[in-house]
Amino acid sequence: MTSLPRQTDGGRRKKLGLVIDLDICVGCHACAVNCKEWNDGGHSAPLTDQEPYGKDVSGVWFNRIHSYECGDGPTSRTVHFPKSCLHCETPACVTVCPTGASYKREEDGIVLVNADTCIGCKLCSWACPYGAREYDQSDGVMKKCTLCIDRIYNENLEEVDRVPACVSTCPVSARHFGDLGDPDSDVSHLVTERGGFDLMAELGYQPVNKYLPPRPRKDKSGATGTGDALTPLAELAAAGSDSAAGAKGFLGWVDRMLSA
């Protein structure tokens, strides 16, 4: 069994991690693709593929995006759920490791695998309740998200680029990176303001990564950010009214909207 970093008494511990906004993730897979691209070189490279162009495509990916249809009828919505290693505070994948290959860094909380001592027994993948471990058949070792450790500490990069590849490439800024052990950090404030939550908190592994829940559905004028003044126009259009000056029907409504 591998030990976790010792707890400090009263001292703040750095906890680098991700905050993922489920409200604005569009499920485009850009994060997963750029993760694969970056990690094909560097710390855990290469991420091998098996039959990459066949019918049964498989390979090593650190990020995977699952899409769900939630709710029924008018309240239904599609939720895209990106998932990778959550860098738990008490990761079972570490404590079950018989060789010490899986370990949690004391200085920043990142969970890593030492490929030189990993024997590929897969105990860590069985212990992880989130399915975040990846077995590389070519190398015979376990691999996982490193939070792009060879990128976030790379002083050859501009400071703005020292974030995980998945964060840097998200086209809608659904991903955020920072120190969740610092209550004054931007990511901590974001979690507090938006009610960020742990994935399967009841299991007690204390994931560092947090998810921000989808906001309430907004499908009425005013609630979506459009002006309340548009409501009467929409009602006129729905009623087919021509009481306002200009064109009638739908085209008249469009004309009045653009003129408002």
Side-chain angles (χ1 to χ4, degrees):
M1 175 179 286
T2 304
S3 300
L4 296 174
R6 66 181 184 278
Q7 297 291 329
T8 56
D9 296 328
R12 186 184 72 80
R13 174 178 291 174
K14 194 172 186 179
K15 301 177 185 178
L16 294 182
L18 301 175
V19 176
I20 301 174
D21 192 341
L22 300 181
D23 187 62
I24 57 177
C25 175
V26 295
C28 67
H29 289 239
C31 54
V33 173
N34 200 28
C35 167
K36 179 87 166 178
E37 174 69 20
W38 177 264
N39 287 291
D40 266 345
H43 186 275
S44 292
L47 305 185
T48 55
D49 290 316
Q50 294 86 41
E51 300 292 339
Y53 305 110
K55 293 182 180 179
D56 298 319
V57 176
S58 63
V60 180
W61 293 72
F62 291 165
N63 271 277
R64 296 183 187 274
I65 294 86
H66 307 277
S67 296
Y68 301 95
E69 295 298 327
C70 304
D72 297 312
T75 61
S76 64
R77 65 194 304 171
T78 301
V79 175
H80 304 287
F81 195 88
K83 190 186 67 178
S84 60
C85 173
L86 303 172
H87 299 279
C88 301
E89 277 292 277
T90 55
C93 60
V94 169
T95 54
V96 300
C97 181
T99 67
S102 288
Y103 63 101
K104 185 173 180 67
R105 286 164 49 107
E106 185 171 353
E107 60 267 41
D108 54 21
I110 297 176
V111 177
L112 294 176
V113 177
N114 183 347
D116 293 333
T117 54
C118 178
I119 58 175
C121 67
K122 300 184 181 178
L123 279 176
C124 56
S125 64
W126 296 338
C128 174
Y130 306 112
R133 292 278 177 151
E134 295 273 324
Y135 179 65
D136 191 320
Q137 295 185 28
S138 298
D139 295 344
V141 298
M142 303 305 297
K143 295 182 176 179
K144 61 177 291 302
C145 163
T146 68
L147 276 182
C148 292
I149 194 168
D150 50 352
R151 180 182 177 108
I152 61 177
Y153 290 115
N154 190 338
E155 295 183 354
N156 292 316
L157 297 176
E158 296 291 336
E159 187 169 352
V160 70
D161 294 324
R162 296 177 200 168
V163 296
C166 60
V167 174
S168 71
T169 199
C170 180
V172 295
S173 298
R175 285 173 171 261
H176 306 268
F177 169 70
D179 181 7
L180 286 146
D182 178 2
D184 294 323
S185 68
D186 289 342
V187 284
S188 293
H189 284 303
L190 194 56
V191 170
T192 301
E193 293 166 3
R194 288 283 310 284
F197 64 93
D198 291 351
L199 181 60
M200 295 191 289
E202 66 276 13
L203 298 180
Y205 296 119
Q206 305 175 61
V208 171
N209 287 7
K210 308 295 182 190
Y211 288 94
L212 305 182
R215 295 181 176 87
R217 188 183 182 96
K218 297 178 180 179
D219 52 10
K220 293 183 179 179
S221 177
T224 60
T226 58
D228 290 338
L230 297 182
T231 301
L233 296 177
E235 293 173 350
L236 286 174
S241 172
D242 59 356
S243 59
K248 300 178 181 179
F250 176 74
L251 291 178
W253 174 72
V254 172
D255 180 67
R256 289 188 290 275
M257 284 190 65
L258 295 176
S259 302

